[in-house]
């Protein structure tokens, strides 16, 4: 143990405690002692203090007790005595400093309520790049990734790199490994966050690069995040500091990178982090703290060149990360899943209403295809002008001794997240409404459409070893080929859909869950029954059953539906229990057949969204491809933005196109007879099935009584039409309160 580091850290802790005591006194001069304090929208108070001391800081005066604890923790000053036993006092000093940092940040929220953005994303134009404490919504969504393994850990970077390029290099290296990067503090009047922006790197929760704040005290948000994860997902009780710190040491793989000279404040923070088992790896020449004891390996490692800092950090913390070796010129991994390709970054897009984009996975005979072969038929992306659009057909053939046609839709649905894993490429939708956006940066780095095939080949082999022996991918970009594929695909989709056509919900005792979308919508749980296909349209009951066969621990689990609690609205005891658990308590129950009363949760990939139209005593629905106004006052994109976060929103529900003509469609609210408005294109697409369904319910011309945008896009505009057509909804019992 180095005496110098201990000296600096203990000195730092003394300074920090005194300063924050002063800041607290000053706050008392401005605010009443009972003024509420805390981080916004959290149930964890000041989480480091709450988790370790069990103290709920709710009012300004509650800080006093914490400051007293901090003061008491300060060890005697180092005088130049013996060598080794500094670790205990050093850790205490660090802890005192960290408690004070958390109070300092809470005081900042009090004094400058607008300093931090309350958002997942920065607002670069407004110059607001600091996100501060994650609120509980963000935390629940992201925190679980540390527990379920989709994020191996986090790197807390304090300070600034010598230049933007170095900052970019280091951070992207972490990002590639799926680690979160938490940014705090400044050095030489700049910060890594600012450097990344200069280097054109997107920062924010969505890219896993989180700019907490410009001061070293904001590093406390990283530790608070880790402790909340331990309380929420690890069941550690507030105040049980021993278990809390052990949990972090053993379960949360995190470390600190100090970029720039380590002054006394940083040293105190680094000492504090050792309590968590989080070591510090520095690029400057500070005395090392090598003996292992608390951290997995060393405590403080210094003088690490920038080119090696990532590797070294991972080694020191003892992290195991697997980097998928996928041969494309772009980075690849779950960290890029949430990344957007925005207007000014866009090079070219396929689908999204501009062109047709279709995906189809089909089984092939073993000798029919060649494993790893990727063929592009038609022009590649660089042959399109910047800002352009092109049609695209992705046709994947799979052969395998254990492969069955039932598995086709499961693999097809993976295309969505796998393409999203490519840096600079964004994927939305599925089936024949896929939409891919490719950024300029990706094209500059040499992205070719063929790389989609490379990714699918590699990942299908990796993720579905058991059933996949050969994968061949053909990409079509000529209009006539895409049209041909689309036609064929639609026939396939119909076949798949028809497999559940004759089944009823009463026929089966088992439904299936789908939680594939939780990475975007954390509380979202689809329950798929024969008469309610998944809202993305890509998974029906049969598909979920097949998916469960392939992967018994995967996202599609059987749910024994159990006692029926409400046959009209469609609610079952077994489903409720499952949903409660799978949403981690966020959703306690929902109804399959109602949008008025506790509807099923909705995520962003639904094919359609239905909404109540109270003056028409009915409901409307709108599909993703329809971009115009609707009588509920919102366009599809707005609806999806508001409803698509995974919550249950009474009055609205996401559903698949196919579901509209399933017998149980909003049966609890009166069924399809309530449908008074839908876009013309959707009507046409479903014409045949709507006619058939109309016959079944004794209103054969129902389709002609449903208004569309040619009639109007407000309730007032369509009501006369509904009256003229004698739409059945008008004579039904009231939609609300009925
Ligand atoms: Fe699964 Fe539902 Fe997402 Fe479709 S929308 S992939 S069914 S969770
Ligand atoms: Zn989804």
């Amino acid at each position: 143990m180095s005496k110098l580091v201990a000296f600096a850290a203990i000195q730092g802790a003394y300074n920090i405690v005194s300063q924050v005591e002063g800041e607290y006194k000053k706050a008392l001069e401005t605010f009443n002692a009972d003024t509420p304090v805390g981080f916004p929208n959290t149930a964890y108070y000041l989480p480091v203090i709450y988790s370790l001391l069990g103290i709920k800081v709710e009012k300004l005066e509650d800080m006093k007790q914490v400051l007293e604890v901090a003061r008491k923790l300060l060890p005697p000053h180092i005088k130049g005595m013996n060598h080794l036993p500094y670790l205990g006092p050093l850790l205490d000093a660090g802890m005192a400093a960290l408690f004070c940092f958390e109070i300092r940040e809470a005081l900042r929220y009090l004094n400058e309520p607008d300093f931090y953005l309350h958002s997942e994303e920065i607002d670069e134009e407004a110059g607001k790049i600091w996100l501060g404490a994650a609120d509980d919504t963000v935390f629940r969504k992201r925190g679980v990734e540390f527990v379920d393994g989709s994020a191996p850990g986090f790197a807390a970077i304090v300070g600034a790199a010598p230049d933007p390029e170095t900052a970019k290099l280091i951070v992207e290296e972490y990002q590639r490994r799926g680690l979160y990067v938490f940014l705090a503090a400044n050095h030489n009047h700049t910060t890594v966050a600012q450097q990344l922006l200069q280097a054109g790197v997107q920062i924010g929760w969505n890219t896993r690069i989180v700019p907490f704040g410009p001061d070293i005290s904001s590093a406390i948000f990283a530790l608070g995040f880790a402790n909340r994860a331990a309380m929420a997902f690890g069941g550690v009780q507030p105040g049980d500091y021993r278990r809390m710190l052990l949990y972090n040491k053993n379960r949360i793989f995190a470390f600190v990178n100090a970029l720039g000279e380590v002054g006394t404040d940083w040293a105190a923070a680094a000492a504090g982090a050792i309590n968590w088992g989080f070591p510090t790896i520095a690029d400057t020449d500070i005395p090392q703290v090598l003996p292992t004891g608390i951290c997995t390996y060393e405590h403080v490692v210094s003088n690490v060149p920038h080119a090696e800092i990532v590797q070294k950090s991972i080694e020191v913390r003892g992290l195991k990360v697997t980097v998928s070796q996928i041969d494309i010129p772009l980075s690849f991994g779950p960290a890029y899943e949430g990344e957007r390709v925005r207007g000014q970054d866009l090079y070219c897009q396929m689908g999204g209403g501009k062109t047709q984009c279709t995906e189809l996975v089909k089984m092939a005979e073993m000798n029919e295809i060649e494993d790893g072969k990727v063929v592009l038929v038609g022009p590649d992306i660089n042959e399109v002008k910047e800002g352009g659009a092109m049609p695209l057909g992705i046709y994947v053939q799979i052969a395998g001794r254990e492969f069955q046609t039932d598995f086709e839709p499961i693999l097809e649905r993976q295309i969505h997240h796998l393409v999203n894993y490519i840096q600079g490429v964004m994927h939305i939708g599925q089936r024949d409404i896929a939409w891919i956006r490719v950024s300029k940066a990706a094209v500059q780095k040499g992205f070719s459409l063929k790389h989609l095939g490379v990714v699918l080949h590699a990942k299908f082999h990796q993720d579905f070893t058991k059933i996949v022996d050969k994968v061949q991918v053909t990409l079509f970009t000529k209009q006539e080929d895409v049209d041909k594929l689309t036609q064929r695909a639609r026939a396939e989709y119909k076949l798949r859909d028809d497999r559940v056509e004759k089944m009823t919900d009463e026929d089966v005792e088992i439904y299936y869950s789908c939680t594939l979308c939780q990475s975007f919508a954390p509380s979202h749980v689809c329950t798929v029954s024969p008469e309610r296909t998944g809202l993305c349209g890509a998974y029906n009951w049969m598909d979920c059953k097949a998916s469960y066969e392939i992967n018994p621990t995967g996202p599609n689990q059987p749910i024994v539906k159990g006692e029926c609690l409400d046959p009209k609205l469609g609610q079952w005891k077994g489903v409720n229990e499952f949903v409660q658990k799978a949403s981690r308590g966020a959703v306690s129950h929902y109804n399959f057949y109602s949008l008025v009363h506790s509807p099923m949760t909705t995520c962003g990939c639904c094919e359609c969204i239905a909404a109540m139209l109270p003056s028409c005593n009915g409901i409307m629905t709108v599909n993703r491809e329809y971009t115009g106004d609707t009588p509920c006052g919102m366009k599809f994109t707005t609806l999806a933005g508001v409803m698509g976060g995974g919550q249950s929103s009474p009055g609205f529900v996401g559903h698949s196109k196919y579901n509209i003509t399933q017998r149980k469609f909003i049966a609890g609210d009166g069924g399809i007879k309530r449908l008074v408005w839908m876009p013309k294109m959707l009507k046409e697409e479903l014409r045949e099935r709507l006619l058939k369904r109309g016959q079944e319910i004794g209103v054969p011309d129902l389709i002609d009584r449903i208004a569309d945008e040619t009639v109007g896009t407000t309730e007032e505009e369509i009501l006369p039409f509904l009256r003229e057509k004698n739409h059945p909804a008008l004579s039904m019992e009231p939609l609300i309160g009925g």
Side-chain angles (χ1 to χ4, degrees):
M1 157 65 55
S2 151
K3 204 154 50 177
L4 255 172
V5 169
F7 178 78
I10 291 172
Q11 191 54 48
Y14 266 94
N15 296 345
I16 292 159
V17 173
S18 302
Q19 284 163 8
V20 175
E21 282 169 347
E23 288 161 25
Y24 169 67
K25 280 210 192 77
K26 206 158 149 249
L28 277 177
E29 287 161 17
T30 322
F31 301 93
N32 289 332
D34 61 354
T35 306
V37 294
F39 299 154
N41 305 322
T42 174
Y44 296 96
Y45 311 96
L46 302 184
V48 171
I49 291 166
Y50 179 53
S51 59
L52 294 175
L53 301 175
I55 298 174
K56 298 176 181 172
V57 176
E58 293 171 275
K59 289 179 283 200
L60 190 54
E61 63 195 354
D62 299 334
M63 291 176 172
K64 185 159 176 265
Q65 193 190 349
V66 181
L67 288 170
E68 284 166 5
V69 174
R71 175 60 66 185
K72 275 206 207 93
L73 275 173
L74 289 176
H77 281 286
I78 304 268
K79 296 232 171 56
M81 324 168 291
N82 37 7
H83 204 62
L84 241 176
Y86 292 140
L87 199 53
L90 179 73
L91 298 185
D92 287 350
M95 201 54 111
L98 291 178
F99 289 145
C100 288
F101 277 165
E102 198 166 44
I103 287 184
R104 174 175 278 170
E105 289 296 336
L107 288 173
R108 170 167 252 172
Y109 270 105
L110 182 66
N111 290 317
E112 304 166 76
D114 294 326
F115 184 83
Y116 292 120
L117 264 179
H118 299 205
S119 163
E120 274 188 70
E121 291 192 62
I122 63 162
D123 185 349
E124 204 183 344
E125 269 166 41
K128 295 231 163 204
I129 64 166
W130 302 114
L131 299 179
D135 70 21
D136 281 352
T137 334
V138 178
F139 157 68
R140 267 194 297 271
K141 181 151 112 191
R142 307 292 174 171
V144 67
E145 298 178 4
F146 290 88
V147 182
D148 71 14
S150 46
F154 69 81
I157 303 185
V158 299
D163 53 73
E165 278 317 303
T166 309
K168 179 172 183 232
L169 222 72
I170 295 173
V171 168
E172 287 195 334
E173 184 93 357
Y174 286 132
Q175 210 186 12
R176 252 196 295 286
R177 291 167 157 84
L179 286 152
Y180 273 83
V181 179
F182 293 153
L183 305 173
N186 61 77
H187 176 247
N188 278 341
H189 312 294
T190 187
T191 62
V192 169
Q194 287 161 314
Q195 292 179 321
L196 291 175
L197 290 172
Q198 280 168 34
V201 178
Q202 281 186 30
I203 63 175
W205 281 100
N206 281 325
T207 51
R208 296 192 179 189
I209 305 170
V210 187
F212 277 137
D215 302 311
I216 183 67
S217 50
S218 65
I220 198 68
F221 297 133
L223 297 171
F225 188 87
N227 285 15
R228 282 153 80 185
M231 286 187 282
F233 308 114
V236 181
Q237 291 305 310
D240 188 352
Y241 64 92
R242 253 191 74 82
R243 268 197 68 209
M244 174 57 66
L245 296 174
L246 270 176
Y247 182 93
N248 274 288
K249 173 179 181 274
N250 297 330
R251 301 286 297 273
I252 306 284
F253 288 95
F255 50 85
V256 182
N257 278 174
L259 305 182
E261 278 101 62
V262 177
T264 52
D265 283 7
W266 287 21
I274 295 176
N275 286 290
W276 272 252
F278 301 165
T280 293
I281 296 89
D283 64 349
T284 50
D285 188 14
I286 56 163
Q288 311 212 92
V289 182
L290 294 180
T292 68
I294 298 195
C295 300
T296 308
Y297 299 103
E298 297 91 344
H299 302 311
V300 176
V301 181
S302 62
N303 231 353
V304 179
H306 295 114
E308 290 163 27
I309 202 160
V310 171
Q311 200 47 49
K312 188 77 194 168
S313 301
I314 284 169
E315 251 174 60
V316 168
R317 184 65 181 99
L319 239 154
K320 272 186 203 63
V321 262
T322 46
V323 184
S324 332
Q325 286 305 331
I326 291 175
D327 195 15
I328 58 172
L330 301 169
S331 301
F332 181 89
Y336 304 103
E337 192 177 3
E339 171 204 44
R340 321 264 158 88
V341 176
R342 295 198 181 81
Q344 73 268 28
D345 307 324
L346 179 71
Y347 183 84
C348 173
Q349 55 188 325
M350 304 84 169
K354 308 272 184 297
T355 58
Q356 181 63 42
C357 182
T358 301
E359 299 165 351
L360 181 66
V361 170
K362 277 301 295 169
M363 180 168 136
E365 292 302 323
M366 280 295 223
N367 54 8
E368 206 183 327
I369 58 170
E370 193 182 311
D371 186 42
K373 188 168 165 194
V374 180
V375 195
L376 173 62
V377 185
D380 201 346
I381 195 151
N382 53 11
E383 293 167 60
V384 175
K385 274 213 307 281
E386 187 177 310
M390 68 199 298
L392 178 67
I394 303 178
Y395 178 48
V396 184
Q397 290 167 284
I398 296 182
R401 267 168 294 271
E402 308 283 326
F403 201 78
Q404 309 169 16
T405 45
D406 284 356
F407 299 158
E408 291 166 357
I410 316 327
L411 274 76
E412 193 177 289
R413 187 71 182 108
Q414 313 295 320
I415 297 177
H416 171 58
H417 76 264
L418 295 179
V419 171
N420 258 326
Y421 278 9
I422 308 173
Q423 185 186 26
V425 181
M426 180 178 172
H427 185 288
I428 301 158
Q430 59 279 324
R431 288 192 167 186
D432 58 342
I433 56 166
W435 180 14
I436 298 179
R437 291 165 66 88
V438 180
S439 72
K440 289 176 197 163
V443 175
Q444 267 158 23
K445 285 189 188 154
F447 175 75
S448 149
L449 288 176
K450 277 192 162 194
H451 295 133
L452 299 176
V454 173
V455 164
L456 294 178
H457 166 258
K459 289 303 285 178
F460 282 166
H461 271 295
Q462 282 176 14
D463 297 351
F464 296 94
T465 325
K466 246 178 46 199
I467 52 168
V468 168
D469 292 321
K470 285 180 169 187
V471 182
Q472 177 174 319
V473 183
T474 313
L475 299 141
F476 299 104
T477 58
K478 286 194 229 148
Q479 189 66 51
E480 66 267 27
D481 295 332
V482 177
D483 287 346
K484 230 190 275 163
L485 180 76
T486 306
Q487 217 180 3
R488 177 168 168 215
R490 285 184 182 146
E492 290 290 344
Y493 305 151
K494 184 166 181 304
L495 273 182
R496 292 177 194 167
D497 291 343
D498 284 349
R499 287 187 304 157
V500 291
E501 174 83 36
K502 295 204 172 54
M503 296 177 64
T504 68
D505 285 359
E506 289 76 24
D507 282 347
V508 298
E509 288 312 311
I510 286 180
Y511 295 159
Y512 286 93
S513 66
C514 188
T515 48
L516 211 60
C517 285
Q518 285 197 342
S519 52
F520 287 106
S523 58
H524 177 61
V525 186
C526 273
T527 305
V528 179
S529 71
E531 291 180 278
R532 200 188 191 287
T533 56
L535 52 80
C536 57
Y539 272 19
N540 64 34
W541 186 86
M542 280 286 186
D543 302 331
C544 292
K545 186 167 177 278
S547 160
Y548 174 64
E549 269 171 44
I550 304 174
N551 182 3
T553 57
N556 302 106
Q557 293 295 314
I559 306 176
V560 179
K561 64 184 186 185
E563 185 192 337
C564 183
L565 302 176
D566 191 328
K568 183 169 173 237
L569 298 177
Q571 196 180 130
W572 290 268
K573 196 158 175 256
V575 174
N576 286 349
E577 283 165 7
F578 185 94
V579 169
Q580 163 101 24
K581 227 166 65 206
S583 69
R584 290 170 222 76
V587 183
S588 62
H589 68 287
Y590 58 44
N591 294 313
F592 281 45
Y593 312 142
S594 178
L595 63 65
V596 179
H597 308 285
S598 308
M600 210 176 266
T601 57
T602 296
C603 72
C605 38
C606 49
E607 283 187 307
C608 307
I609 297 180
M612 293 202 300
L613 296 180
S615 342
C616 301
N617 200 36
I619 67 132
M620 57 151 277
T621 190
V622 55
N623 55 314
R624 179 178 298 274
E625 304 93 302
Y626 174 78
T627 53
D629 291 319
T630 81
C632 77
M634 285 182 265
K635 296 182 173 162
F636 181 89
T637 41
T638 317
L639 281 166
V642 180
M643 269 22 102
Q647 61 284 55
S648 165
S649 321
F652 303 89
V653 76
H655 59 86
S656 68
K657 290 177 179 173
Y658 182 78
N659 185 235
I660 298 174
T661 54
Q662 287 190 291
R663 283 167 299 256
K664 292 286 191 346
F665 177 63
I666 59 161
D669 305 326
I672 195 170
K673 280 190 204 168
R674 285 281 186 197
L675 187 55
V676 298
W677 189 94
M678 69 200 292
K680 198 169 166 51
M681 65 195 297
L682 183 58
K683 234 195 244 181
E684 288 315 315
E685 188 179 333
L686 300 177
R687 173 167 283 279
E688 220 177 292
R689 294 179 48 85
L690 282 168
L691 284 172
K692 196 162 142 243
R693 188 76 189 111
Q695 298 254 330
E696 272 175 28
I697 58 166
V699 193
D701 62 343
L702 179 69
I703 185 168
D704 301 321
R705 302 196 199 187
I706 300 173
D708 57 37
E709 71 276 19
T710 63
V711 175
T713 53
T714 64
E715 289 200 68
E716 295 77 62
E717 281 168 12
I718 65 170
L719 199 51
F721 172 91
L722 300 175
R723 289 212 183 96
E724 184 200 313
K725 295 282 180 189
N726 192 20
H727 191 290
L730 298 180
S731 48
M732 291 171 82
E733 58 174 0
L735 182 58
I736 322 167

